[in-house]
């Protein structure tokens, strides 16, 4: 039993708003909430939607058992009628959203929750936590994959982020095109391929670098990856080749000037006859370092810290806003706050990506209160994720990750080439908010 | 049942190194691993150790059940002898470390793990994930608390970080001096006080701002906090006072020029006779914004994004290194890698904070292989956390958080006043690595 309830990943105010609205009666008004972002992280050309599958997995575990209810009662968080409401809670509304792996732009309506206010209100924090984290990681990962131009990127950042974030980050990275992860729990939960090399401690544990390499090759085979920079890199490479022979899988370089080192290590490996031995580099890589290493004979990038911290943008800035709700007569009313610098646009949104005849994305069309007209090339972006409380198949677990990675590959190919630029700039396509 | 195993929060290579060292026999060498950081985040004056209690909680759940073993076997991560080793795994070594809440500086030996290589090696990722995340958050939180000079800071960042990170962040923030959190799960697990106000959606749900305030006050009492900036702030404040009367608890401002607004809202509240109604401000606050608001009549700060992302430093840079291990004769040998720009210092460290006669910290003394001489004012920094596999009492759960917060308060008071400066600078005390 590895699954815990998700119902307390919730801000205190959601349950007190629930209580107050149950009392006023407004809790039962049908409502539409939307998750979106007003902007991309500074200078990014596009964002990547990730976490959708995890939202659905978490929704299925959003239950209040006796333990949670006792906590809420003992601490007087909410009153008895509210506890009664939560006791049998099971989300019964519908959720549409961008498919996981899809790209997003400012004001893209990423996730639309339709239900009573009561049901939608208490999901706010959980939905935003997942989308904001996972999308930040996937957005950074996608740039790294683009910079690597087909060379594999391996996710190795678990140690630099919270232990559960590490699992989510590995999942988001693979959705955005990473080939594999070092995180075993991510392999366990989502079927991601896991890989590993060796640490300096393994070399230091043995009486010599040679003894360590011999131990590793004896146990893991000649196709293993040997870490060659614990002492002297040239000696490390020579010893590795002596121990493993021409079938040595790879060497890993983890320090120093990697561009220069990769070049002469490649020459040395070739001189020693190890033409098929690959070179993997690690050590605080980000998309810019990967781009700089493209001219070097590198076969794989191991990326850690900068991936799991979103390469300067550790969270997306998604918000979750009430945009429409019933009035006493049952009519839907568009609503929006007017607060300075945080104004939003009321009304339920529909979205289409405009695709030209050459298959290139040219605009994000967002209809306010209606579905924008779509040409034959255009793509409707909102897909049903939950219908009347039923999570739709194909979005969760290993299948969800696989499909999200496919979606991401296809959506990236639609973008104009400027999307691959690492320099800061404007979103690569503009969002057109259309009102009738 | 809310507890899941932690044994797969582990990088693939730890288990393959385990396999290779079991085969070479070196796995059984007694070893000393240390967690430390070579540097503070750029410009910070001190770091805050957090996560220690969570490491101990996670250690007690570091078990391989059939589910985990089947995964490792089905995916050929490790061989059968390694699976056998893991089947009965229970950490039997000892761990000493800085008490949670303590301050740290470059090369402070934060956590020392003594056991066989096999046992210590497979804890690397879990220990670093927890310490790197939690310490980054606590280090940022401590600066915010210092900037707030006694005004309460409330942690409200759950939506901007992964859902489990949110719980860890709330815990770390309270250790560093935050008064409370909005995160209910953090309240549930660690007994942290939880608080909440209301969202704009609650106002928009009702037919008018007045109807929303009436609903909130009817349900939550006059002492509640009303959010007054959904439409027009002045009208919002007037309506709030009309609805709740002089006993209105607080108003929350979440947009616009908060310094200016707080000033005239205070005047308005006083004019209306609401001298005891407090003003809470939120909206992308960080330590600099808090400092700028100190001149304004603000009663509490709600801090979100910048807290949970470490205010520019979302991860600490702690590493976990083998510093000493037995050789074949059973003698301990100090070890360290020589790799460029990542060299480390071999040998088990002991640490003392030098405190002068006025009670001020003046240096971090780190003895390599011996315990530095301590004067009567000085403090020994390493405390026993696990002895022969037994987690020592007082560090986990709610008690652990309470003690860590006390430790933090006491340690901060020892620092020279320059520690409170927000500008970038050098560590406020220097680390002296002492070899004999």
């Amino acid at each position: 039993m590895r699954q815990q309830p998700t119902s307390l990943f919730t801000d205190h105010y959601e349950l007190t708003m629930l209580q107050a609205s149950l009392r006023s009666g407004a809790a039962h008004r049908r409502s539409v909430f939307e998750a979106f972002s007003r902007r991309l992280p500074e200078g990014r050309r596009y964002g990547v939607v990730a976490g959708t599958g995890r939202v659905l997995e978490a929704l299925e575990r959003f239950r209040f058992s006796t333990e949670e209810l006792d906590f809420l009662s003992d601490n007087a968080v909410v009153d008895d009628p509210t506890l009664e409401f939560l006791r049998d809670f099971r989300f019964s509304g519908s959720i549409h959203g961008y498919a996981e792996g899809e790209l997003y732009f400012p004001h893209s309506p990423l996730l639309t929750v339709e239900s009573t206010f009561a049901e939608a209100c208490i999901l706010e924090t959980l939905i935003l936590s997942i989308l904001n984290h996972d999308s930040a990681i996937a957005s950074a990962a996608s740039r790294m994959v683009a910079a690597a131009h087909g060379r594999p990127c391996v996710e190795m950042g678990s140690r630099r982020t919270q232990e559960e974030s590490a699992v989510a980050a590995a999942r988001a990275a693979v959705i955005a095109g990473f080939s594999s992860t070092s995180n075993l729990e991510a392999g366990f939960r989502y079927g991601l391929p896991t890989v590993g090399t060796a640490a300096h401690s393994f070399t230091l544990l043995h009486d010599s670098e040679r003894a360590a390499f011999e131990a590793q090759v004896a146990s893991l085979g000649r196709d293993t990856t040997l870490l060659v920079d614990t002492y002297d890199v040239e000696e490390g490479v020579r010893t590795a080749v002596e121990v493993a022979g021409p079938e040595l899988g790879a060497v890993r370089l983890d320090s120093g000037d990697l561009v220069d080192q990769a070049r002469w290590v490649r020459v040395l490996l070739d001189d020693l006859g190890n033409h098929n031995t690959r070179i993997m580099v690690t050590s605080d890589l980000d998309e810019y370092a990967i781009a700089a290493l493209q001219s070097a004979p590198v076969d794989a990038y191991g990326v850690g810290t900068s991936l799991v911290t979103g390469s300067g943008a550790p969270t997306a800035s998604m918000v979750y806003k009430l945009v429409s709700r019933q009035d006493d007569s049952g009519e839907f009313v568009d609503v929006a706050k007017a607060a300075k610098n945080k104004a939003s646009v009321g009304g339920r949104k529909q979205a289409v990506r405009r695709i030209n005849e050459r298959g290139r994305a040219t605009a994000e069309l967002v209809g306010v209160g209606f579905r924008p007209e779509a040409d034959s090339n255009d793509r409707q972006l909102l897909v049903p994720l939950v219908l009347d409380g039923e999570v739709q198949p194909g979005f969760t677990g290993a299948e969800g990750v696989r499909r999200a990675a496919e979606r991401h590959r296809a959506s990236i190919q639609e973008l104009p080439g400027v999307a691959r630029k690492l320099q800061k700039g404007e979103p690569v396509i503009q969002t057109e908010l259309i009102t009738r």
Side-chain angles (χ1 to χ4, degrees), chain A:
Chain A
M1 159 55 185
R2 299 172 64 83
Q3 308 247 309
Q4 71 157 34
T6 57
S7 55
L8 294 184
F9 292 136
T10 300
D11 281 321
H12 187 110
Y13 81 169
E14 282 152 47
L15 298 193
T16 52
M17 286 192 284
L18 171 64
Q19 172 181 316
S21 62
L22 283 171
R23 177 154 168 168
S24 75
H28 306 296
R29 291 180 167 186
R30 305 288 305 174
S31 299
V32 182
F33 277 82
E34 285 175 357
F36 64 93
S37 182
R38 296 187 181 93
R39 56 187 177 280
L40 300 177
E42 201 197 357
R44 292 277 174 87
R45 309 303 181 114
Y46 62 91
V48 179
V49 179
T52 317
R54 292 213 307 117
V55 167
L56 302 180
E57 290 163 9
L59 187 65
E60 305 215 81
R61 291 183 280 127
F62 198 91
R63 301 276 187 281
F64 294 82
S65 72
T66 311
E67 263 191 306
E68 287 83 35
L69 294 170
D70 285 351
F71 164 75
L72 297 174
S73 174
D74 294 348
N75 291 275
V77 176
V78 288
D79 61 14
D80 288 343
T82 309
L83 293 173
E84 276 316 298
F85 176 90
L86 296 175
R87 188 179 307 279
D88 301 318
F89 181 77
R90 198 188 143 84
F91 180 73
S92 70
S94 293
I95 302 179
H96 290 72
Y98 279 36
E100 189 161 11
E102 184 58 88
L103 311 180
Y104 75 90
F105 300 93
H107 294 280
S108 293
L110 306 175
L111 203 75
T112 304
V113 179
E114 296 169 278
S115 65
T116 61
F117 177 83
E119 293 195 19
C121 159
I122 62 178
L123 299 178
E124 176 177 21
T125 302
L126 181 62
I127 287 175
L128 288 178
S129 287
I130 294 175
L131 293 183
N132 273 323
H133 174 267
D134 293 13
S135 300
I137 306 305
S139 298
S142 180
R143 283 159 59 87
M144 295 169 183
V145 170
H149 273 280
R151 290 178 178 174
C153 295
V154 180
E155 191 284 305
M156 303 175 105
S158 296
R159 65 193 53 200
R160 293 299 174 86
T161 188
Q162 200 265 4
E163 64 277 20
E164 279 282 354
S165 290
V167 182
R171 180 183 176 282
V174 168
I175 286 172
F178 271 54
S179 63
S180 54
T181 176
S182 62
N183 188 290
L184 289 172
E185 183 76 17
F188 177 82
R189 288 192 205 168
Y190 296 106
L192 310 186
T194 67
V195 298
T197 62
H200 296 105
S201 65
F202 185 80
T203 299
L204 296 171
L205 170 69
H206 289 85
D207 294 329
S208 67
E209 189 173 53
R210 179 178 301 269
F213 289 174
E214 285 171 350
Q216 187 173 334
V217 168
S219 178
L220 301 171
R222 294 175 191 279
D223 191 35
T224 193
T225 299
L226 294 173
L227 175 61
V228 293
D229 72 342
T230 304
Y231 303 111
D232 177 80
V233 176
E234 181 178 343
E235 204 176 307
V237 172
R238 289 183 184 279
T239 305
V241 169
E242 284 169 29
V243 169
E247 293 155 58
L248 173 61
V251 295
R252 174 160 80 100
L253 305 172
D254 183 48
S255 50
D257 176 350
L258 295 173
V259 174
D260 181 59
Q261 249 182 86
R263 289 209 175 105
W264 67 254
V265 166
R266 180 73 268 159
V267 170
L268 178 58
L269 285 169
D270 288 343
D271 282 353
L272 295 170
N274 278 43
H275 302 288
N276 294 324
T277 298
R278 297 176 304 280
I279 297 177
M280 177 178 208
V281 296
T282 55
S283 190
D284 287 338
L285 300 183
D286 60 13
E287 60 268 49
Y288 306 101
I290 290 171
L293 281 158
Q294 280 301 104
S295 66
V298 166
D299 298 285
Y301 301 103
V303 189
T305 308
S306 76
L307 176 81
V308 299
T309 58
S311 197
T315 184
S317 52
M318 291 169 195
V319 293
Y320 181 80
K321 296 296 174 191
L322 179 68
V323 295
S324 182
R325 50 89 182 156
Q326 285 180 311
D327 63 15
D328 276 342
S329 68
E331 286 295 298
F332 274 89
V333 182
D334 293 351
V335 295
K337 76 178 157 179
K340 281 174 210 161
N341 78 11
K342 285 189 176 177
S344 52
V345 179
R348 186 187 165 165
K349 320 295 184 303
Q350 301 271 359
V352 163
R353 186 151 303 149
R354 176 130 291 167
I355 309 286
N356 69 16
E357 65 285 355
R358 296 192 312 281
R360 287 283 178 220
T362 61
E364 188 89 334
L365 307 183
V366 178
V368 180
F370 73 105
R371 185 189 289 259
E373 278 183 40
D375 296 341
S376 59
N377 296 321
D378 297 349
R379 285 198 299 116
Q380 296 291 341
L381 295 170
L382 288 161
V383 300
L385 302 169
V386 180
L387 294 175
D388 297 331
E390 288 302 313
V391 172
Q392 301 300 293
F395 298 108
T396 58
E399 185 188 2
V401 173
R402 190 177 49 69
R403 286 179 54 182
E406 281 168 20
R407 177 69 264 155
H408 184 65
R409 265 196 302 278
S411 292
I412 279 285
Q413 283 170 2
E414 290 170 352
L415 289 189
V418 67
R420 285 174 174 268
K421 281 199 181 179
L422 297 179
Q423 305 98 305
K424 290 184 178 181
E426 295 299 308
V428 67
I429 59 173
Q430 294 300 309
T431 305
E432 299 175 18
L433 271 173
I434 310 167
T435 48
R436 272 206 287 221

